[in-house]
């Protein structure tokens, strides 16, 4: 839901008026309640005290009604409440039984309250003039003797005090009007600034939602593109093994007579299974199951399951005591498996592989070096991307899986290579996984 700037300004003005009205009503209620309590504490209630109690009760009722109506009609209800209070001040004389000057002095705070509650030019003047009119009629009734109340103050003194009070009210009204104009301009500027800020925030929220939709659409497009790449790579990578298997199966007699053909068939099936296994491993990289593990133990277990050809020399360097780390053992095993498989592919025609375990102040590192053909500078920037491969029977997911697992643990992977002299892949794993929020969000999104 969006609002215009004018609607926001009006809403803020009503909120400001309600906060001022709350203070005004609370102060008046406390005074009325205290006076009522004093009257009720009297052992014998006279007619005068009962009449004053009725006036105070009417004032309390008027304040409660004002509080209920000010939310909808702030200016109108404020004006009516102040006029009602002025009438109650006159009613106080009738409850007292004689003309006093107390109500006349109490018109001063009423006039000031009008200007402070509704800070609009002319509002306080309207309240003051209305109070003048009410008390002017009351004074005329007193002077003509139409008010049946005892007069404790001579007419001359009453006129003098009334004139003095009128001058005071006019001066106060002028000061209040000046203050009101200043407050109104200040509040108007602040409200407009706040309205503009809220409007800007609404635009930012709309832009954020639009960006979120675009990001979702981009992710869907990327997924569809990835699916297309996987389908293309799957077709290209599996075509060779499947065509070879079909060719072998087309000559069943030769299969039975030549054991080497069965071995070749088994090799092609294993190649297809390795590619599908790589897809399954990549799809399962969604969360970590952290345990205390020893990297050297995982390396030993993985080497036990790998057949090293006789034309390849393998060497391992590691310190006598190697510290454990907190990691997902299955995911780390995948990293080591793909690094070793990558090295074996690089030196399949013969060469050396050197594995080195190293301690770091904040974790451990493992490097796998080979003496193969190496990686060209142009290829280095692509080798960690999914589906990138230079091999015919590979999906290009091995190094992508290794990099993703290492980054999920808060580590990193580096490659050093020189064409014709081999390559070295080094991974670093912290003692405790430090998965960043951005990586977690990316993993969740995928």
């Amino acid at each position: 839901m969006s609002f215009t700037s004018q609607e926001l300004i009006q809403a803020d003005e009503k909120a400001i008026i309600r906060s001022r009205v709350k203070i005004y009503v609370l102060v008046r209620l406390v005074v009325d309640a205290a006076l009522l309590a004093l009257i009720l504490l009297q052992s014998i209630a006279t007619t005068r005290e009962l009449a004053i109690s009725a006036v105070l009760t009417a004032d309390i009722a008027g304040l409660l009604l004002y509080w209920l109506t000010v939310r909808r009609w702030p200016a109108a209800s404020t004006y009516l409440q102040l006029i009602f209070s002025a009438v109650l001040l006159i009613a106080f004389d009738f409850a007292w039984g004689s003309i006093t000057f107390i109500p006349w002095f109490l018109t001063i705070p009423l006039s000031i309250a009008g200007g402070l509650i509704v800070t609009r030019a002319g509002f306080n003047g309207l309240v003051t003039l209305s109070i003048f009119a009410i008390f002017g009629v009351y004074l005329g009734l007193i002077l003509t003797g139409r008010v049946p109340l005892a007069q404790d103050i001579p007419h001359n003194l009453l006129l003098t005090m009334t004139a003095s009070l009128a001058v005071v009210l006019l001066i106060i009204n002028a000061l209040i009007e000046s203050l009101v104009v200043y407050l109104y301009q200040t509040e108007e500027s602040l409200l407009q600034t706040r309205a503009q800020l809220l409007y800007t925030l609404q635009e930012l929220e709309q832009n954020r939602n639009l960006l979120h939709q675009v990001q979702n659409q981009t992710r869907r497009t990327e997924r569809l593109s990835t699916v297309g790449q996987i389908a293309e790579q799957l077709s290209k990578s599996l075509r060779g093994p499947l065509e070879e298997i079909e060719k072998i199966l087309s000559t069943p007699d030769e299969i039975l007579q030549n054991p080497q053909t069965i071995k070749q068939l088994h090799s092609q099936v294993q190649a297809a299974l390795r590619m599908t296994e790589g897809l399954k491993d990549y799809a399962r990289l969604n969360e970590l199951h952290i345990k205390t593990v020893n990297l050297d133990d995982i390396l030993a277990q993985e080497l036990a399951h790998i057949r090293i050809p006789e034309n390849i020399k393998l060497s391992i360097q590691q310190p006598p005591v190697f510290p454990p780390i907190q990691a997902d053992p299955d995911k780390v095993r995948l990293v080591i498996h793909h690094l070793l498989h990558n090295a074996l592919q690089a030196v399949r025609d013969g060469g050396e592989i050197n594995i080195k375990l190293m301690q770091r102040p904040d974790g451990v590192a493992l490097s796998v070096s080979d003496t193969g053909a190496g990686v060209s500078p142009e290829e280095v920037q692509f080798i960690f991307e999914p589906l990138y491969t230079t091999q015919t029977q590979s999906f290009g997911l091995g190094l992508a899986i290794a990099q993703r697992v290492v980054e999920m643990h808060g580590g990193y992977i580096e490659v050093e290579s020189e064409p014709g002299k081999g390559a070295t892949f080094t991974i670093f794993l912290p003692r405790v996984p430090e998965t960043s929020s951005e990586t977690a969000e990316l993993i969740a999104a995928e």
Side-chain angles (χ1 to χ4, degrees):
M1 180 181 294
S2 61
F3 300 93
T4 64
S5 297
Q6 189 62 32
E7 289 173 340
L8 292 171
I9 290 174
Q10 291 176 355
D12 284 339
E13 284 180 342
K14 290 181 179 180
I16 292 172
I17 290 176
R18 284 199 298 269
S19 64
R20 294 171 179 168
V21 168
K22 183 178 180 180
I23 298 174
Y24 169 77
V25 170
L26 287 177
V27 172
R28 291 281 303 276
L29 286 176
V30 169
V31 174
D32 289 346
L35 293 175
L36 274 177
L38 290 175
I39 293 174
L40 293 176
L41 290 176
Q42 301 292 330
S43 58
I44 300 176
T46 63
T47 303
R48 175 189 294 180
E49 292 170 342
L50 292 176
I52 294 175
S53 298
V55 173
L56 294 174
T57 303
D59 190 35
I60 292 174
L63 290 170
L64 295 177
L65 180 62
Y66 173 46
W67 177 249
L68 295 176
T69 57
V70 73
R71 297 173 180 272
R72 189 166 185 180
W73 305 288
S77 59
T78 301
Y79 174 77
L80 292 175
Q81 208 287 323
L82 294 172
I83 298 306
F84 177 71
S85 298
V87 173
L88 285 182
L89 289 177
I90 295 175
F92 179 83
D93 279 354
F94 288 88
W96 189 262
S98 63
I99 298 174
T100 65
F101 213 63
I102 296 176
W104 304 76
F105 283 111
L106 292 179
T107 57
I108 296 177
L110 280 182
S111 177
I112 295 175
L116 295 181
I117 293 176
V118 181
T119 54
R120 291 183 182 176
F123 182 82
N124 188 69
L126 176 63
V127 172
T128 302
L129 290 176
S130 300
I131 293 176
F132 274 172
I134 293 172
F135 276 84
V137 173
Y138 182 45
L139 179 61
L141 294 175
I142 293 174
L143 295 176
T144 58
R146 295 181 178 274
V147 175
L149 295 175
Q151 297 183 23
D152 298 335
I153 302 174
H155 284 179
N156 293 337
L157 180 59
L158 183 60
L159 287 172
T160 303
M161 296 182 69
T162 302
S164 302
L165 181 61
V167 172
V168 172
L169 280 175
L170 289 174
I171 295 174
I172 292 176
N173 180 69
L175 295 175
I176 292 295
E177 283 294 331
S178 301
L179 179 62
V180 162
V181 171
Y182 173 76
L183 290 176
Y184 179 76
Q185 292 175 347
T186 304
E187 287 182 0
E188 188 74 10
S189 176
L190 290 175
L191 292 176
Q192 288 180 353
T193 303
R194 185 172 182 271
Q196 185 61 38
L197 176 60
L198 292 175
Y199 183 73
T200 303
L201 290 176
Q202 287 180 352
E203 286 188 334
L204 289 175
E205 182 66 19
Q206 292 174 357
N207 292 335
R208 191 186 70 83
N209 292 334
L210 181 61
L211 177 61
H212 184 67
Q213 293 175 2
V214 172
Q215 288 176 339
N216 288 337
Q217 184 63 34
T218 303
R219 289 193 186 100
R220 284 194 291 270
T221 304
E222 289 176 349
R223 290 191 187 101
L224 291 175
S225 176
T226 302
V227 170
Q229 294 176 27
I230 291 176
E232 181 182 358
Q233 188 73 5
L234 182 64
S235 174
K236 182 175 67 174
S237 300
L238 290 181
R239 178 176 293 276
L242 292 177
E243 288 179 348
E244 188 69 24
I245 292 172
E246 182 182 15
K247 179 180 178 181
I248 295 173
L249 292 177
S250 64
T251 56
D253 294 338
E254 184 179 348
I255 296 175
L256 296 175
Q257 296 173 3
N258 189 357
Q260 187 65 27
T261 304
I262 298 177
K263 184 177 180 182
Q264 185 180 3
L265 177 63
H266 179 73
S267 174
Q268 296 299 327
V269 171
Q270 289 298 317
L273 289 176
R274 281 196 301 271
M275 284 185 278
T276 57
E277 192 70 21
L279 278 174
K280 183 177 69 174
D281 291 340
Y282 190 79
R284 289 180 176 178
L285 297 180
N286 51 5
E287 60 179 340
L288 299 177
H289 301 282
I290 304 301
K291 299 178 181 178
T292 301
V293 298
N294 292 298
L295 197 60
D296 50 347
D297 291 342
I298 296 178
L299 173 63
Q301 293 171 8
E302 189 60 31
L303 288 174
H305 291 85
I306 295 179
R307 189 183 69 84
I308 307 296
E310 294 181 355
N311 62 340
I312 296 176
K313 180 182 178 182
L314 176 67
S315 61
I316 302 175
Q317 302 177 37
Q318 68 178 83
V321 179
F322 202 67
I325 60 173
Q326 298 292 312
D328 186 324
D330 295 331
K331 301 291 190 301
V332 173
R333 186 176 291 108
L334 274 179
V335 175
I336 296 176
H337 170 80
H338 287 296
L339 290 180
L340 291 176
H341 178 75
N342 190 67
L344 287 172
Q345 289 293 317
V347 294
R348 57 182 177 272
D349 296 329
E352 297 182 10
I353 296 177
N354 180 46
I355 302 174
K356 186 176 182 181
L357 291 170
M358 298 164 284
Q359 297 186 44
R360 297 283 180 85
D362 51 348
V364 297
L366 178 144
S367 67
V368 179
S369 304
D370 63 72
T371 58
V375 183
S376 66
E378 294 78 15
E379 291 178 327
V380 168
Q381 57 182 327
F382 300 112
I383 58 176
F384 293 107
E385 293 185 4
L387 306 180
Y388 178 81
T389 180
T390 57
Q391 303 175 17
T392 56
Q393 295 184 354
S394 173
F395 256 165
L397 293 176
L399 291 177
I401 291 173
Q403 184 187 48
R404 187 172 177 185
V405 168
V406 171
E407 290 179 349
M408 287 172 66
H409 285 80
Y412 58 86
I413 183 170
E414 296 177 341
V415 57
E416 296 179 3
S417 178
E418 185 177 346
K421 295 185 178 181
T424 299
F425 289 86
T426 303
I427 63 169
F428 166 77
L429 295 173
R431 295 189 186 278
V432 179
E434 300 173 355
T435 305
S436 66
S437 58
E438 294 181 357
T439 303
E441 291 175 359
L442 179 60
I443 293 170
E446 294 180 353

